[in-house]
Amino acid sequence: MGKEKLALAWLLICQFCNFADAVFTLYAVSRGVKEANPVMAWAIEVSPLFFAIIKLVVFTLAIDYIASRRPWVLRYIALLLMCVVAWHISFVFSL
């Protein structure tokens, strides 16, 4: 696989994991868990839709910038996000 295709694959994995993180975060908050990030906690208080839009847009801007400057970093971001999603999944199954 070429470097550009590989970077695109990592970018898509990052985007998917960020979306999954947003969904699982909203689920956890609906079950009484407190959001640790104060900015995102405020966004959830405003509206869950506002939270999702802010999270997805800011992440997309940041990850696109990283992809254009240092695409090799995407794999590490994706691995970190996969760990976050795995943690969320473990929380869901512990309920």
Side-chain angles (χ1 to χ4, degrees), residues 5-46:
K5 287 184 180 181
L6 191 57
L8 178 61
W10 284 119
L11 180 68
L12 292 175
I13 291 169
C14 288
Q15 292 287 9
F16 173 77
C17 287
N18 184 55
F19 176 77
D21 178 39
V23 170
F24 284 126
T25 297
L26 289 172
Y27 175 77
V29 168
S30 75
R31 298 288 184 200
V33 174
K34 185 176 187 236
E35 170 63 47
N37 180 337
V39 174
M40 297 314 279
W42 168 79
I44 290 171
E45 286 179 21
V46 171

Side-chain angles (χ1 to χ4, degrees), residues 15 18 39-40 50-66:
Q15 292 287 9
N18 184 55
V39 174
M40 297 314 279
F50 180 71
F51 162 81
I53 290 170
I54 293 297
K55 181 165 179 54
L56 297 175
V57 168
V58 170
F59 182 82
T60 297
L61 292 173
I63 204 74
D64 284 347
Y65 178 79
I66 291 169

Side-chain angles (χ1 to χ4, degrees), residues 72-83:
W72 58 271
V73 176
L74 292 175
R75 73 186 76 173
Y76 301 109
I77 296 170
L79 291 171
L80 176 66
L81 288 168
M82 285 187 262
C83 290

